[in-house]
Amino acid sequence: MAKLQALLFDVDGTLADTEKDGHRVAFNLAFDEAGLGWNWDENLYGELLAVTGGKERIKYYLEKFNTDFEKPADFEGFVKGLHASKTKYYVQLMEQGKVPLRTGVEALIKEAKAAGMRMAVVTTTTPENVTALLDSTLGKGSESWFEVIAAGDIVPAKKPAADIYEWALAQMNLKAEDTIAFEDSRNGILSSSGANIKTIVTINDYTQADDFSAAVVVLDHMGSEAEPFTVLAGDTFGETSLTLSLVTKIAEA
Ligand code: XBP
Ligand code: MG
């Protein structure tokens, strides 16, 4: 790498633990509203995370875990409507401040912003969800700190395909080697490394057993002075939190 020029952040599981207490809860509220009687408990949701994207996840659930469900004639419309309802509930949950940022995330983003480092969001989730999370955690309008929000259906093939990262790089007119990605899951790192982007992984309960052999560094979280990270793989040069200077060292090593 010549010089680090941009930080590319995944959202779900990386910036915040949105899956268990955000997306999963919102799906269940939408299922209740539609009178479906479906319930995605924490264990089942872990299995459903094999597939990224909410609409795709609903279809996967019906293919694999609820095969008796009689699909309505307009199945695509049904899934789309259910997913729109889920997004409405998710945004409400974020507005209520139900999900905080993970350790060290706010500090790194604020430091990068102050230093003029370019940043982007690269996620499979719906754009409204990104806005809602950033508004509720970093403050209204904080989305504008990110030059590009690569999200949702912007590319047809979601993670683990590399398309969303490649799309973000093209938008920013950057090469993979000028950037570093932050991910939390196997599907995420398959996507970022598929685009040849060095990736720092912060694991979570759902992803701790995933294969992260493609990561340059694997941590339990980004760390802070009060709560140092634990290094699970890779070299963090003796440091204990992901400052911009450490991220730059990792990226340029
Ligand atoms: C995130 C996801 C998303 C959310 C749901 O993956 O899998 O699908 O669970 O979002 P990643 P939508 O962190 O790898 O981007 O319901 O808005 O699609
Ligand atoms: Mg993720």
Side-chain angles (χ1 to χ4, degrees):
M1 152 165 322
K3 191 171 180 299
L4 179 65
Q5 293 187 50
L7 312 185
L8 311 180
F9 292 96
D10 169 50
V11 175
D12 297 306
T14 300
L15 297 188
D17 275 322
T18 46
E19 294 292 8
K20 181 168 68 69
D21 302 325
H23 292 293
R24 187 186 67 86
V25 174
F27 277 115
N28 285 330
L29 288 166
F31 301 156
D32 284 351
E33 185 184 279
L36 289 166
W38 304 348
N39 177 53
W40 289 1
D41 64 25
E42 288 179 22
N43 284 336
L44 171 61
Y45 197 70
E47 298 202 49
L48 295 171
L49 284 173
V51 170
T52 65
K55 294 187 285 295
E56 293 81 355
R57 189 165 298 142
I58 292 167
K59 290 180 187 168
Y60 177 63
Y61 165 69
L62 292 174
E63 268 160 35
K64 213 162 157 206
F65 299 91
N66 187 357
T67 47
D68 290 341
F69 177 70
E70 253 182 64
K71 291 181 184 170
D74 179 14
F75 181 57
E76 287 302 319
F78 163 77
V79 171
K80 229 174 144 189
L82 198 51
H83 187 251
S85 161
K86 177 257 168 178
T87 299
K88 176 191 74 182
Y89 283 116
Y90 182 89
V91 167
Q92 281 173 13
L93 290 169
M94 294 305 113
E95 284 169 356
Q96 291 160 16
K98 294 281 190 220
V99 184
L101 294 178
R102 296 187 64 191
T103 305
V105 170
E106 178 168 352
L108 176 60
I109 290 176
K110 287 192 167 162
E111 192 193 351
K113 178 178 180 279
M117 174 62 69
R118 298 170 71 186
M119 294 188 282
V121 159
V122 185
T123 175
T124 63
T125 203
T126 304
E128 291 102 292
N129 297 346
V130 178
T131 311
L133 175 71
L134 294 177
D135 277 357
S136 81
T137 53
L138 294 173
K140 270 235 163 303
S142 53
E143 196 175 27
S144 67
W145 304 354
F146 300 85
E147 191 177 320
V148 165
I149 306 285
D153 297 323
I154 226 160
V155 294
K158 294 186 177 173
K159 299 177 188 177
D163 303 34
I164 192 76
Y165 275 99
E166 285 167 354
W167 187 88
L169 290 176
Q171 292 294 307
M172 298 173 90
N173 197 20
L174 286 171
K175 294 199 278 296
E177 57 265 35
D178 301 328
T179 69
I180 193 156
F182 300 86
E183 278 287 355
D184 71 300
S185 70
R186 175 81 181 143
N187 281 326
I189 195 161
L190 283 171
S191 177
S192 57
S193 63
N196 295 313
I197 299 169
K198 265 192 188 175
T199 305
I200 296 174
V201 166
T202 46
I203 60 163
N204 59 54
D205 286 350
Y206 277 132
T207 67
Q208 55 188 344
D210 285 5
D211 174 1
F212 290 122
S213 47
V216 62
V217 166
V218 183
L219 307 169
D220 57 346
H221 52 69
M222 290 192 186
S224 66
E225 225 168 276
E227 210 186 328
F229 57 53
T230 298
V231 184
L232 305 169
D235 186 2
T236 60
F237 304 91
E239 295 185 44
T240 51
S241 66
L242 272 188
T243 57
L244 184 59
S245 107
L246 175 56
V247 171
T248 305
K249 269 189 223 167
I250 293 169
E252 296 179 0

